[in-house]
Amino acid sequence: MNFQVTVLKILVSYPDGFAVMEDLKRDMAILATSGRDWADRTRRLAARVPDLDIFSQGLVERISGGWKITAQGRAVLEFMESRPAASEAIQTPSVGETIATSPAPVPPLRQPADRAKRRRERRERRREARERARANAS
């Protein structure tokens, strides 16, 4: 599994592209144990940009206890996920070239505003269920 591609994929799934470290670690653990499909997919995506370095290239920022994907990060991820043209299959451009050739920054993807809220509620329901089970077991 390619760590940097996984970080980009996780961050792009969050509203505003920001996730706290706790959420990143949890999502990373889920994906790491999800099987060969995810590992193969990240390996294929990473092969499109072999010199990928999410921090030094400004694709991800560290902000107040979490990480946030930048517009450049979204553009690189979009490039990695796009279908390779015949000429791209022969010559893979570097990240700097990819960013320089993109006409404008990619606007953030629209995500449901209440996604984080639903996750928190789900975690809280699970926690309450565990506490009830422990109390009933006593």
Side-chain angles (χ1 to χ4, degrees):
M1 179 179 69
N2 187 302
F3 170 77
Q4 297 188 46
V5 173
T6 302
V7 168
L8 289 174
K9 291 292 288 178
I10 290 171
L11 290 176
V12 83
S13 71
Y14 278 82
D16 299 327
F18 176 79
V20 294
M21 290 306 297
E22 178 183 310
D23 292 339
L24 276 169
K25 288 177 184 178
R26 183 194 65 239
D27 293 347
M28 187 76 70
I30 291 168
L31 291 172
T33 58
S34 66
R36 291 193 54 94
D37 289 342
W38 181 255
D40 292 342
R41 181 176 182 201
T42 56
R43 199 172 299 115
R44 274 193 316 273
L45 292 174
R48 302 267 335 261
V49 185
D51 57 344
L52 183 67
D53 187 351
I54 60 176
F55 294 110
S56 68
Q57 293 169 340
L59 308 180
V60 172
E61 299 175 323
R62 294 181 183 117
I63 302 174
S64 64
W67 293 353
K68 181 174 183 169
I69 189 168
T70 64
Q72 289 179 330
R74 289 181 189 276
V76 169
L77 186 60
E78 185 177 308
F79 168 77
M80 285 191 288
E81 292 178 327
S82 66
R83 289 209 176 268
S87 61
E88 288 181 20
I90 297 169
Q91 179 184 7
T92 304
S94 68
V95 172
E97 293 171 0
T98 303
I99 295 168
T101 59
S102 61
V106 177
L109 297 175
R110 300 181 100 194
Q111 298 288 333
D114 58 346
R115 182 176 183 173
K117 180 181 174 186
R118 287 194 316 262
R119 283 185 178 180
R120 278 192 299 275
E121 290 171 350
R122 219 175 12 248
R123 276 194 303 247
E124 185 61 31
R125 284 194 304 268
R126 288 186 203 131
R127 186 177 301 122
E128 290 170 357
R130 281 194 305 266
E131 289 172 359
R132 281 193 306 271
R134 285 184 195 132
N136 290 339
S138 299

